[in-house]
Amino acid sequence: MPIESTPLPGSARNLPDAVEVVGHDDRSDLIQITLVVRRREPLPEPAPGSTPTTRISPEQFASTYGADPADCEAISEVVVRAGATVVATDVASRRIRVSGTVDTLERLFGTTLNRARLTPPGNGRPRVARVRSGDLSLPNELDGIVTAVLGLDDRPAAEVRFRRRPVIRAAEGTSYSPLDLARIYQMPQDTDGTGTTLAIIELGGGFRAADLTHYFSGLGIAGPRIKGVGVDGATNTPTSDPNSADGEVLLDIEIAGGIAPGAEQLVYFAPNTDAGFLDAISTATHATPTPTAISISWGQSEDTWTAQARTAMDDAFADAAALGITVTAAAGDNGSSDDATAQQGGAHVDFPASSPHVLACGGTSLQADPTTGVVTSETVWNDEPGHGATGGGISDAFAQPIWQSGAGVPVAKRHAHGHPSGAAAGRGVPDVAANADPATGYRVYVDGQDLVFGGTSAVAPLWAAFVCRCAQSLGQPLGLPQPTLYRGIAPGVAQPGFRDITTGSNGAYRATAGWDPCTGLGVPDGAALLAVLGGNAT
């Protein structure tokens, strides 16, 4: 019997022009997907200058802003009637995991699933993924109740945001340990993140305890307590290749652990799909204890996401902010184009950094004395073409948040050659910055090798660790810090607590005094920034 259905808004997906369809899954194959359910009540947005630590308890959050159990029951009835199975229901994060055959889920959501060979940008290896195109539909009973259907298409959702120093530049470059950068950025003394939890999201790769023991003993510190957490069947799976996702995993753990060794680390491993990414974030956000910070160094141009996936992820980040969690995300390593195709052209920003509920982290090139912490120069990170530059720009997908309205965010540049489109200003990216240039990079130890990495991938865990140290000092988490960081902002004026970066360009945009789409508000002046955050504590 045909299922009477309604189109699901924001669910349209396209296939790349050059994609090669190579077949179809066996129609009896079982797959798992994630359904996102509407909230009981809308979450209130923070006002400019509001207290970032005003937060909701997990119990109150689930009962007020989670899913209505009646909605979950209605979904379960429709799913079971169609011949699928409900694997798990999470009311707080509004997610239902469903298992069904390819045939069942195609009929239930009005789509066709194929296998296709995809070639990722850069030097990534081609892989075969399950893909769909066009809109999804929902059974009429679920219209308005289910807001996203994720995981039917399992093409990679995101890419790593790290850059390894080119061999040709290794001898001439500068490099820093996490301890050096904590000194250079004047992070609060007598803090190490003790009493806090730092969650890290990974979509591949893994770590070995022996590598971490070697690295932290080389720094002369004990290092953090680290635990891997599997999501949707993924696990801590090191590949022994430092150029793989292992490089991202070890970079994140080592930078965060070197700066905040007292913070317990939970490393969430999930499949690199839209469903896996969301499930990892939601699992971390609603964990017990509630984490102080979540660090994300994976992303992709916001134009490549479906609207339903972006909204579901942004809603998960809003959950985090309401629970007192600070989410940091890399702004991207491909300049203002964010690795857009020649057909797209123009300027683009990276997601999830473009979410207004995320602290977006851009990159600089740093010259400083690691012993004294004295900075000689710090400019926008922008190497020669092909070697990376900090992401940054204006969002197409998210409206400008009210706390950013005084920053002088420019009109977005959308066309090739950087001509303004005339559209209203959206959310400006990034919010903050730190060292990201591989030529002035981070010393790390990956799969038994001493290496130097850069990229905004390193900036997200650095800021997450800094947040943990501030939370330890203040005795409370920071939640969404932007209403405080942007308080009283004016165009062309540096904000308290930051060292303004005014030199350089990421392509379409140039650094200026005050906030700009290259390095945001600037790099942390740690002690001063702690005072800014502490002045708003309750």
Side-chain angles (χ1 to χ4, degrees):
M1 180 176 177
I3 296 174
E4 295 185 3
S5 60
T6 303
L8 174 60
S11 63
R13 288 210 82 159
N14 297 318
L15 294 179
D17 292 338
V19 71
E20 177 189 0
V21 175
V22 295
H24 193 286
D25 282 327
D26 188 307
R27 302 189 70 78
S28 63
D29 284 352
L30 282 174
I31 59 176
Q32 288 194 10
I33 63 173
T34 296
L35 308 184
V36 182
V37 189
R38 65 185 176 185
R39 292 191 192 278
R40 279 190 171 191
E41 299 288 342
L43 272 173
E45 287 292 329
S50 63
T51 304
T53 51
T54 300
R55 59 191 184 277
I56 303 168
S57 71
E59 296 77 18
Q60 181 186 355
F61 185 94
S63 63
T64 305
Y65 303 111
D68 188 326
D71 283 348
C72 297
E73 182 60 32
I75 294 168
S76 179
E77 289 178 4
V78 171
V79 165
V80 172
R81 188 168 66 238
T85 304
V86 173
V87 176
T89 298
D90 190 309
V91 169
S93 65
R94 301 171 295 108
R95 292 175 301 130
I96 297 178
R97 287 288 284 175
V98 170
S99 174
T101 65
V102 168
D103 182 64
T104 296
L105 296 181
E106 283 182 337
R107 286 188 292 103
L108 186 56
F109 299 109
T111 191
T112 299
L113 303 177
N114 290 302
R115 305 297 291 180
R117 183 173 289 106
L118 305 175
T119 302
N123 297 318
R125 296 178 180 176
R127 59 159 289 185
V128 173
R130 188 174 62 244
V131 299
R132 65 175 180 85
S133 62
D135 292 293
L136 298 176
S137 60
L138 291 173
N140 286 344
E141 303 99 305
L142 303 185
D143 183 26
I145 297 176
V146 172
T147 60
V149 177
L150 306 178
L152 286 167
D153 185 313
D154 70 354
R155 74 185 84 175
E159 301 167 21
V160 296
R161 292 298 181 235
F162 76 86
R163 293 268 179 164
R164 183 172 172 178
R165 178 184 290 173
V167 174
I168 194 170
R169 300 181 63 176
E172 64 190 51
T174 302
S175 61
Y176 306 97
S177 75
L179 304 183
D180 297 334
L181 290 163
R183 185 178 306 111
I184 291 166
Y185 290 129
Q186 301 184 54
M187 296 190 183
Q189 295 185 4
D190 301 321
T191 63
D192 64 358
T194 294
T196 67
T197 301
L198 197 164
I200 297 174
I201 305 299
E202 302 292 358
L203 303 178
F207 65 88
R208 292 183 176 86
D211 278 0
L212 296 175
T213 299
H214 175 89
Y215 182 76
F216 291 118
S217 64
L219 294 180
I221 61 175
R225 181 181 171 191
I226 301 164
K227 179 182 178 183
V229 181
V231 177
D232 293 351
T235 59
N236 173 22
T237 310
T239 68
S240 301
D241 178 4
N243 294 309
S244 72
D246 285 6
E248 185 61 69
V249 174
L250 273 297
L251 175 68
D252 292 344
I253 294 172
E254 291 171 0
I255 299 307
I259 291 174
E264 180 177 3
Q265 284 191 24
L266 295 176
V267 186
Y268 290 83
F269 292 95
N272 188 0
T273 65
D274 54 8
F277 207 163
L278 173 69
D279 289 340
I281 293 161
S282 295
T283 301
T285 295
H286 294 277
T288 303
T290 301
T292 304
I294 298 175
S295 176
I296 303 173
S297 294
W298 297 71
Q300 193 146 246
S301 173
E302 66 179 12
D303 307 279
T304 66
W305 295 77
T306 61
Q308 62 160 359
R310 278 197 312 262
T311 299
M313 296 263 287
D314 181 53
D315 283 346
F317 297 136
D319 288 5
L323 291 166
I325 305 165
T326 304
V327 181
T328 63
D333 295 352
N334 293 291
S336 60
S337 74
D338 203 43
D339 209 24
T341 65
Q343 290 78 14
Q344 291 173 314
H348 302 263
V349 293
D350 214 60
F351 181 80
S354 64
S355 163
H357 298 102
V358 163
L359 188 70
C361 300
T364 66
S365 181
L366 171 69
Q367 295 292 338
D369 185 326
T371 302
T372 65
V374 173
V375 175
T376 305
S377 71
E378 193 159 10
T379 61
V380 176
W381 167 42
N382 190 347
D383 289 341
E384 62 271 17
H387 292 292
T390 182
I394 317 303
S395 173
D396 277 332
F398 296 100
Q400 187 177 109
I402 191 170
W403 39 260
Q404 202 176 42
S405 60
V409 176
V411 171
K413 297 181 178 180
R414 291 288 171 258
H415 304 298
H417 313 303
H419 299 303
S421 67
R427 192 276 204 256
V429 178
D431 297 303
V432 297
N435 183 47
D437 187 347
T440 64
Y442 297 68
R443 295 194 293 274
V444 293
Y445 190 73
V446 182
D447 292 328
Q449 298 183 45
D450 289 305
L451 299 168
V452 175
F453 280 178
T456 55
S457 276
V459 186
L462 180 148
W463 269 92
F466 173 65
V467 164
C468 287
R469 290 177 63 155
C470 289
Q472 177 192 3
S473 181
L474 297 173
Q476 56 192 356
L478 305 187
L480 185 73
Q482 286 97 315
T484 298
L485 300 182
Y486 283 85
R487 185 173 51 197
I489 194 167
V493 179
Q495 281 295 94
F498 290 91
R499 182 159 48 77
D500 201 5
I501 306 302
T502 59
T503 303
S505 163
N506 69 351
Y509 302 99
R510 296 201 65 82
T512 62
W515 183 90
D516 59 63
C518 298
T519 57
L521 300 170
V523 300
D525 179 352
L529 189 51
L530 176 64
V532 169
L533 294 165
N536 208 38
T538 58

